[in-house]
Amino acid sequence: MLYDTKNPHGGDVYAGNVRLDFSANTNPFGTPESVLAAITRALPEVHRYPDPYCRALRAAIAAAEGVPEEYILCGSGAAELIYAFADAVRPQRAAELAPTFAEYSLALARTGCAVARYTLSEKNDFAPDGGILNFLRETRPEVFFLCNPNNPTGRLADGALLKEILALCEKLGTYLFADECFLDLTDGGESLKPFLTRCPRLFILKAFTKSYGMAGVRLGYGLCADASLLHDMSETVPPWNVSTLAQAAGVAALGETDFLEKTRALVRAERAWLAEQLAALGFRVIPSDANYLLFRAAPGLDAALREQGILIRNGENYAGLCPGWYRIAVRTRAENEALIRALREV
């Protein structure tokens, strides 16, 4: 629980009078019915402690991802695994992109780690580029955090560049922490899963939050061939950290392949429509491969929309962005139209 600390993320719909939330990048269809049913069926078991080894869930993840069960570590949301990784590795030098997901540097700050940042070029629409390789050679970090697609830009790294980054990290002895939490909602994004066995310093982060609309359940998992790293990470979190309801929900969600296909189709169409509408309003819109869009408008836009009960993500606390940058989720057509109407008014 946050206590007397500012929430650096979106999704805070609890302060009252919020009718539309575009600040959190969750599935526009919400949670699959099968997942809700699985949670309901598991309710009679909540008097017991949850399975501390997540046996059924790990088996389901292994089948869905095509990896051995021993490569899987489950956590109470992806955020817990980011902090567990930082606590287990305790690097002195780490690197990340700018802008990128804020939780990497927040987790590293707890260990006293110095963080170097490779600033992506706005002129290049914040696309990951070959300059990352020279940056890694110069900084020689112990860990490189790479969000793919990147948050908040929505840009995917080219497959060839991904492989070059992985090969260089192996050569430098650098852990590559690859955050693929949004990858399942992209078209054509390449996962680094095929390289897990030959690259033990590769750690892949996944979550149920975005793909299956399960942000309130708190469930994520990591994939890695380094058993000692996974053991050390597990020692940094309390036992029974993944609840009985979360484990049941995860098993059910992994069977929802049609749900993901339907979501990708909606995101593909609505992202294009939203980008066109935002550009018509005179905003600078960054091309996206994900279920969210980054755009630039006047500072204070989020506050003006908040007065109408609409939340969008203010991007000014991202390293590499200045006031006036905003991120919005891609939602359903009715919700997207309501947002555009509100933007025209303000």
Side-chain angles (χ1 to χ4, degrees):
M1 183 188 81
L2 291 177
Y3 182 82
D4 196 26
T5 305
K6 188 175 181 180
N7 174 23
H9 305 294
D12 187 6
V13 299
Y14 305 99
N17 192 33
V18 174
R19 62 186 180 92
L20 289 172
D21 181 18
F22 282 84
S23 68
N25 306 325
T26 56
N27 193 303
F29 289 121
T31 313
E33 289 296 327
S34 65
V35 174
L36 299 177
I39 292 173
T40 301
R41 288 195 301 271
L43 287 174
E45 299 301 316
V46 297
H47 68 288
R48 308 180 194 275
Y49 283 103
D51 178 0
Y53 300 103
C54 298
R55 293 172 178 89
L57 177 58
R58 288 174 66 216
I61 293 171
E65 297 283 13
V67 302
E69 286 186 40
E70 58 268 24
Y71 285 15
I72 301 166
L73 180 67
C74 299
S76 180
E80 181 180 69
L81 292 166
I82 294 171
Y83 281 81
F85 181 91
D87 281 345
V89 177
R90 303 194 74 81
Q92 296 302 302
R93 303 181 317 280
E96 65 180 18
L97 303 178
T100 198
F101 187 48
E103 216 62 45
Y104 312 139
S105 57
L106 291 174
L108 292 165
R110 293 189 178 187
T111 70
C113 178
V115 180
R117 294 189 174 96
Y118 179 78
T119 302
L120 299 166
S121 170
E122 180 186 344
K123 292 181 180 179
N124 195 31
D125 291 330
F126 299 110
D129 57 58
I132 295 172
L133 300 171
N134 289 330
F135 165 75
L136 290 173
R137 293 186 188 101
E138 293 169 2
T139 56
R140 303 184 71 87
E142 296 165 68
V143 181
F144 179 46
F145 286 83
L146 180 64
C147 189
N148 189 45
N150 194 20
N151 177 9
T153 66
R155 303 304 306 270
L156 278 168
D158 175 76
L161 177 60
L162 271 178
K163 296 178 182 67
E164 286 186 272
I165 291 172
L166 178 59
L168 180 57
C169 286
E170 283 292 302
K171 181 179 178 181
L172 297 174
T174 298
Y175 280 105
L176 177 58
F177 187 104
D179 184 342
E180 297 185 357
C181 286
F182 287 102
L183 194 66
D184 290 340
L185 294 181
T186 67
D187 290 314
E190 290 190 40
S191 173
L192 288 174
K193 282 188 302 181
F195 302 95
L196 282 168
T197 300
R198 73 182 85 163
C199 300
R201 298 179 81 83
L202 168 64
F203 183 92
I204 297 176
L205 182 69
K206 300 289 292 283
F208 290 82
T209 304
K210 289 82 179 178
S211 300
Y212 302 101
M214 289 167 51
V217 175
R218 309 309 306 138
L219 183 60
Y221 58 96
L223 306 177
C224 185
D226 186 347
S228 62
L229 172 61
L230 297 184
H231 175 266
D232 291 346
M233 288 176 63
S234 71
E235 298 236 302
T236 70
V237 298
W240 310 298
N241 59 319
V242 183
S243 74
T244 297
L245 301 183
Q247 293 185 40
V251 171
L254 289 167
E256 288 284 352
T257 53
D258 290 343
F259 182 80
L260 282 184
E261 285 294 336
K262 182 175 74 168
T263 302
R264 280 190 287 266
L266 176 75
V267 167
R268 190 184 311 120
E270 291 303 308
R271 183 179 61 220
W273 185 85
L274 260 180
E276 181 181 351
Q277 297 298 315
L278 292 170
L281 289 169
F283 301 151
R284 163 92 161 96
V285 184
I286 301 301
S288 173
D289 302 298
N291 60 319
Y292 45 92
L293 285 165
L294 181 69
F295 69 96
R296 190 170 189 176
L301 181 63
D302 57 319
L305 288 172
R306 182 67 180 80
E307 292 296 316
Q308 298 196 32
I310 300 176
L311 295 184
I312 64 173
R313 176 70 159 86
N314 188 319
E316 66 183 31
N317 71 323
Y318 283 101
L321 295 182
C322 60
W325 283 103
Y326 305 96
R327 189 199 68 197
I328 57 170
V330 175
R331 306 293 305 168
T332 63
R333 176 55 64 92
E335 292 171 299
N336 295 337
E337 288 178 339
L339 172 64
I340 296 300
R341 285 195 300 271
L343 285 170
R344 287 175 180 148
E345 290 178 19
V346 301

